[in-house]
Amino acid sequence: PTSDGGAPHTQEHLLLGKGNKGRWLGNYDHVMLAEWSAATWQYRTGYHFHTSAGTDAFWGILRTQLDALLRPDYSDEDIRREVRNFGVAKQPDGRLTLDEKGTVYNEMVRTYESPSTLGWDALGRLVYGSDHPLALSQGGTPEGIRALTPEEIRRFHAAHYQLANMGMVAAFPSSVTLSTVLAKVDETLDALAPAPDTRRYMTEADVPPAHVAQPGALRVVEYPYATSDQPSPVLLAWPATRRLGMAERTVMEVFLAAFAGGEGSNLYDALVDGKTRVLDVGATAVWQFTSDDPGQPVFIGAESISATHNDEATLRAVRDLVLTRLRAIAALPDGSPELAAFGERVKSRILETRRRLDKALDTPPQFGDRGTSDFWIRQLTDLNREGGFRKSLTQKGAYDHALTIAGSAVNPWRERIAVWGLLETPCGVMTRASPTLRKKLDDERDARLAAELTRLETVHGTKDPQEALRLRAAEIDQATAEIARAEANVPMPPFVSDPPMTMDDSLSYRQTTAHGVPVVASTFETMKSATVSLLLRLDGVAEADLPYLSLLPELLREVGVLRGGVPVPYDAMSDRLRREVLDLGVGFDTSFTTGRAELQITGSGDDVEETRRVLGWMRDVLKSPDWRPENLPRIRDVVGRRAAQLRNVMSGPEEHWARATAEAYRRQDSALLAHTASFLTRTHDAFRLSWLLEG
C-alpha cells in the first residue's frame, strides 16, 4: 500500500462482480459450479477458487477470472457504491435520511473499531515507521477511504495488475499430468499476455528498512465501546531487524512457542495460570508470532487484560515480566535440570509444529472457501528464499536441526536470545475501551451527514432538506436503473455440460453400523493420517441442565483427565498430546435448519498407532475429565478464558457471528440450539458458571 486509503482492498470487491466483466465472471462461476473468495494481506491480494465440475471447467474459470482481473470495466458509479458513498434511506415515518454506505467503507469502519485491529495497526507503525509500506493499512482506514478517489483506485490497478506481477498456486487430481498443466497454463497466459511489460515491480528486496522513531515506545490506544469495563489485549513487538535462514528461524519459532505459545508455556505459567502466576492482571491467554515479512519481527501478546489494568503501568509490568523470563532462560546453567526441562518443552513444540505442517500438507488447500489463509503461497515463497534446487515441503532439515539444538546440554539459548534481539526492549501497545471515543466518532459521523445534506441543498437549490433528499434519491434510482439495464445485457453462459451428481463424485465412502450406531467411513488414497469423529446426541439433556452445556467442550478437553484414577494435569496432558497424536478436539456440531445439536469429539493420528492412542485420549476426555474440587483453580481458569472469548465475539467481523445470531433468534423454539449454537446465550451461561465456581 502507498497510503491508508485501502486501494489494494478495493480491487477484490470491484474486480469480482462489478462492471460487465465482473458480472459475467459471477455468472460464469455459478454455471461452472465454482466456489470463490478473495482476501487482501499486507502486500498481496489473493483470488482463489475451486470447482467440482472437472478440469475442463477449471481452465475456463481460470481464463475468465484472469481476464476480469487484468481487464476490468467497472465504472465510477460502481466504485462509489462499492467503496464509499452517501445513500438515502426511508424511515418508518416516511421521512428521508442520509447514511454513509459502501461495502468496503462499512467493513473497515467496523474493523477499525476492533481492539485487536487498532492494536496491530499502532504496533506495525511502531515497528516499521508510520509511513512504511508494511505499516500502512492495506484494507484502508475509515479516514483514508473517505479520501480515496476513483482515479487513485484505477492508478493502483494499472500499476499492479499485470501478469508479470502475479503468481499462482494450483492443486490438481493425480489424473491430470504435469505436461497437461504446463500446456494449459501456457495457452491461458499467452492469450492474455500484453505487449512486453518493461515496468519494474517492487519485490521484497526493494522494501525499505524499518525506521523506528522511538525504540521501546509504549502506547495505550483507545477503541470505541459503549462501556469502559471491557477487557482488552496487550501486544509487544521486537524490531524488524532479522534475516534468519529457515533453519535458524525455525529454532527461534519453536523456542518462542515453548516460551509464550499458549498453555504449557513459560509465560502462561507466569501470567495466566491461577496456581503459578506472578502478575495478576486478568490475562486469560498468551500467544506468540514470528512474521516472515521483511525484518522478521517477533510478537508476543496477552488476551483479556481486565479494564482496571488497561494502563501504561500494566503494559510496562507485562513487558518487564517477559524480559525477566527471557533473561532467566538465557542464564540457565549448562546441564541443569531447569535447562533440560525447558529443552523438553521445546521438543514437544517441535513435534507439535511438525505435525501441524504434516497435517496442512495432507489436507486439501480449500481454495475458494471463505477464510482460507495464504499458507500455500507463503510456504512456497519461504522455501524459494532458500538455496538449492530441491526443496523439502516438510522442512525436515530445519526441524531436525531444531531438535538437536533443544537437546543440547550446553545452554543453546544463551547466545541465541541475544542474537535474535530478544533482550532488547520491545515496543508495546495496550488497547482500552472508551465511551468518549465512541461518542466522538458518532458525533463526527453526524457532522459529515449534516455537511453532505447542506451540500445537497445547495446543489439542488432548495432550503427544504426533505426535498433535497428526494431529488438525491431520484438520482440514485436513475443510476440503479442504468446498472440494472447493464446487468440485463450480460448473458448467462451455458451450464456445465457434464455436471457432477454429488458434492464429490470421486469420494470413496461406505456406511455401516457398529453395535447399532451408524458409522460412515471415507477413504482418501493420498492421505497418510486418519481422523475419527464421535458425535453424541444432546436432545436428551434436561432443560434445567442446558446452561451447563455451554462450556462442556472446554471442560472436557482443557482441564486434564483421570487415568486409572490418577490425575493427569492439563499441562502434562498438553505436552503428551503434542508428542503422541496429531490432534484432539471437542466442540458442538449444530444445524439451525434441522434442529440437530451434537457433541463432537474428534481425534487424528499420523499412522495406525497414533490413531489408537488418540482413541484412548478421546475415551479419557469423555469419561474421565478431572472435575474434582482439587482441580478447581484449573477449571476456573478455563471458564474465565472462555467467558472472555465469548464476550469478545462481537468485536470481530460480523460475518463470523451475525448470521448465527439471526438464526438463533429465528429458532427461539429450541432451547438446545440456544445453549449450544448461540454465542449470546453461551456467554450468559459462561459468566453464570464462572460466578457459581467462585461461590
Side-chain angles (χ1 to χ4, degrees):
T2 55
S3 74
D4 286 325
H9 179 204
T10 64
Q11 299 304 320
E12 59 169 284
H13 284 258
L14 293 167
L15 296 171
L16 296 179
K18 302 304 174 184
N20 286 345
K21 286 285 187 74
R23 297 178 190 111
W24 166 261
L25 174 63
N27 291 345
Y28 193 85
D29 281 348
H30 282 303
V31 299
M32 291 293 119
L33 306 182
E35 296 287 339
W36 52 267
S37 190
T40 300
W41 296 284
Q42 188 60 37
Y43 58 88
R44 63 168 64 93
T45 298
Y47 300 88
H48 50 102
F49 68 87
H50 71 258
T51 176
S52 57
T55 51
D56 288 343
F58 172 88
W59 296 116
I61 297 166
L62 178 64
R63 181 178 60 252
T64 304
Q65 185 159 123
L66 283 173
D67 181 55
L69 297 182
L70 293 167
R71 305 166 180 171
D73 60 358
Y74 50 73
S75 66
D76 283 3
E77 183 65 20
D78 286 324
I79 292 175
R80 281 189 289 270
R81 291 187 173 218
E82 189 66 19
V83 180
R84 195 254 181 178
N85 67 91
F86 288 100
V88 178
K90 180 177 285 189
Q91 299 303 304
D93 62 1
R95 292 182 60 81
L96 301 177
T97 59
L98 275 179
D99 196 10
E100 289 185 307
K101 292 185 175 292
T103 306
V104 175
Y105 180 71
N106 283 322
E107 176 187 343
M108 298 313 296
V109 165
R110 187 70 180 87
T111 298
Y112 270 84
E113 292 179 349
S114 161
S116 59
T117 298
L118 289 168
W120 277 105
D121 184 86
L123 197 63
R125 296 172 197 268
L126 289 176
V127 168
Y128 284 108
S130 60
D131 59 349
H132 193 280
L134 294 180
L136 295 170
S137 175
Q138 83 279 10
T141 65
E143 298 82 3
I145 296 173
R146 289 197 291 269
L148 185 65
T149 63
E151 292 73 25
E152 185 177 347
I153 290 171
R154 295 184 189 282
R155 281 197 304 272
F156 183 88
H157 181 274
H160 297 284
Y161 277 73
Q162 300 293 334
L163 285 176
N165 197 39
M166 299 172 74
M168 185 174 81
V169 180
F172 296 93
S174 57
S175 59
V176 181
T177 65
L178 177 60
S179 59
T180 298
V181 170
L182 293 176
K184 286 290 189 179
V185 169
D186 189 46
E187 177 186 319
T188 301
L189 298 185
D190 277 351
L192 294 166
D197 186 358
T198 59
R199 285 173 292 183
R200 184 175 182 275
Y201 297 97
M202 177 180 282
T203 69
E204 287 189 359
D206 302 311
V207 175
H211 49 92
V212 181
Q214 294 178 278
L218 299 177
R219 298 281 188 274
V220 177
V221 177
E222 292 187 334
Y223 65 93
Y225 204 78
T227 62
S228 59
D229 59 351
Q230 183 77 350
S232 304
V234 59
L235 304 91
L236 302 174
W238 281 261
T241 55
R242 292 162 204 80
R243 296 188 64 180
L244 303 177
M246 180 177 287
E248 191 62 20
R249 199 181 83 220
T250 299
V251 175
M252 183 176 72
E253 288 172 348
V254 294
F255 166 84
L256 288 167
F259 176 73
E263 298 187 70
S265 67
N266 289 37
L267 189 59
Y268 184 90
D269 294 345
L271 195 58
V272 180
D273 193 317
K275 301 187 296 291
T276 60
R277 65 187 171 212
V278 297
L279 180 63
D280 185 4
V281 292
T284 59
V286 297
W287 53 266
Q288 57 78 34
F289 169 62
T290 301
S291 173
D292 57 5
D293 287 347
Q296 300 168 344
V298 170
F299 303 92
I300 285 178
E303 297 298 320
S304 298
I305 305 298
S306 65
T308 55
H309 293 94
N310 287 158
D311 52 38
E312 187 173 317
T314 298
L315 177 55
R316 193 178 302 277
V318 172
R319 182 173 70 178
D320 290 346
L321 174 63
V322 170
L323 289 173
T324 298
R325 293 297 168 119
L326 285 169
R327 294 187 188 108
I329 294 174
L332 289 174
D334 296 343
S336 65
E338 294 82 4
L339 178 63
F342 184 75
E344 289 302 313
R345 274 190 169 181
V346 175
K347 287 180 183 178
S348 70
R349 298 298 179 140
I350 295 171
L351 294 174
E352 178 187 38
T353 308
R354 211 168 190 168
R355 291 176 190 278
R356 286 179 179 172
L357 179 56
D358 280 350
K359 181 69 172 175
L361 298 176
D362 210 23
T363 302
Q366 297 178 295
F367 297 146
D369 291 352
R370 183 68 175 166
T372 296
S373 73
D374 57 347
F375 162 78
W376 272 106
I377 188 65
R378 282 188 173 274
Q379 178 75 357
L380 296 174
T381 300
D382 211 15
L383 289 171
N384 198 48
R385 296 186 181 107
E386 299 295 303
F389 179 74
R390 296 182 64 85
K391 314 284 186 178
S392 171
L393 281 173
T394 62
Q395 299 173 206
K396 182 179 185 301
Y399 286 117
D400 288 347
H401 172 66
L403 279 171
T404 301
I405 297 299
S408 175
V410 177
N411 189 338
W413 317 115
R414 187 176 296 129
E415 293 183 2
R416 279 184 166 82
I417 292 175
V419 170
W420 294 336
L422 299 182
L423 296 181
E424 298 177 25
T425 303
C427 31
V429 172
M430 173 173 280
T431 55
R432 180 168 61 201
S434 172
T436 301
L437 180 57
R438 172 74 278 159
K439 183 178 185 307
K440 178 175 180 290
L441 293 178
D442 292 343
D443 289 346
E444 289 175 348
R445 177 178 178 276
D446 291 343
R448 290 193 299 273
L449 294 174
E452 174 63 11
L453 180 56
T454 299
R455 188 191 72 82
L456 289 174
E457 290 174 357
T458 301
V459 167
H460 294 294
T462 178
K463 297 290 188 180
D464 182 356
Q466 287 297 300
E467 176 64 11
L469 292 174
R470 187 188 65 76
L471 293 171
R472 176 56 187 149
E475 292 176 345
I476 294 173
D477 290 343
Q478 181 179 350
T480 300
E482 292 175 1
I483 292 174
R485 283 193 292 272
E487 289 178 345
N489 290 326
V490 177
M492 178 63 72
F495 188 61
V496 59
S497 59
D498 186 21
M501 295 295 101
T502 68
M503 294 294 290
D504 189 347
D505 283 354
S506 63
L507 182 65
S508 174
Y509 71 95
R510 57 189 174 88
Q511 293 177 281
T512 60
T513 59
H515 304 287
V517 177
V519 175
V520 178
S522 303
T523 303
F524 302 87
E525 293 182 1
T526 57
M527 291 178 64
K528 67 173 184 176
S529 62
T531 297
V532 181
S533 285
L534 179 67
L535 294 104
L536 304 176
R537 291 174 57 170
L538 298 172
D539 49 1
V541 177
E543 186 163 350
D545 294 331
L546 290 178
Y548 298 103
L549 281 180
S550 176
L551 299 190
L552 183 59
E554 291 79 11
L555 291 174
L556 290 172
R557 173 64 173 78
E558 300 177 16
V559 299
V561 297
L562 300 171
R563 281 198 156 177
V566 178
V568 181
Y570 183 68
D571 54 353
M573 174 180 167
S574 295
D575 190 66
R576 289 187 58 179
L577 288 171
R578 293 187 186 102
R579 295 171 180 271
E580 295 179 9
V581 302
L582 185 59
D583 191 32
L584 174 67
V586 185
F588 292 124
D589 191 350
T590 61
S591 169
F592 285 108
T593 301
T594 65
R596 178 179 54 81
E598 296 164 332
L599 179 71
Q600 181 174 19
I601 304 173
T602 301
S604 300
D606 256 344
D607 52 35
V608 173
E609 185 56 37
E610 276 195 18
T611 306
R612 288 197 180 102
R613 283 199 295 267
V614 84
L615 287 171
W617 284 108
M618 291 168 66
R619 176 199 61 221
D620 290 341
V621 300
L622 179 61
K623 301 182 71 173
S624 308
D626 189 0
W627 291 351
R628 299 170 303 132
E630 294 84 351
N631 199 32
L632 192 56
R634 173 62 192 171
I635 294 172
R636 284 174 176 154
D637 284 349
V638 170
V639 171
R641 176 179 55 77
R642 186 59 180 142
Q645 289 174 340
L646 288 166
R647 183 182 186 180
N648 288 331
V649 165
M650 291 181 71
S651 295
E654 288 94 336
E655 66 179 289
H656 295 163
W657 56 264
R659 179 173 295 179
T661 302
E663 292 282 9
Y665 185 81
R666 182 177 64 85
R667 288 304 310 268
Q668 291 181 72
D669 60 314
S670 173
L672 175 59
L673 284 175
H675 290 281
T676 55
S678 167
F679 79 90
L680 294 169
T681 304
R682 295 182 69 194
T683 302
H684 179 272
D685 292 346
F687 278 100
R688 180 175 181 270
L689 183 56
S690 178
W691 172 74
L692 289 171
L693 289 171
E694 295 296 333

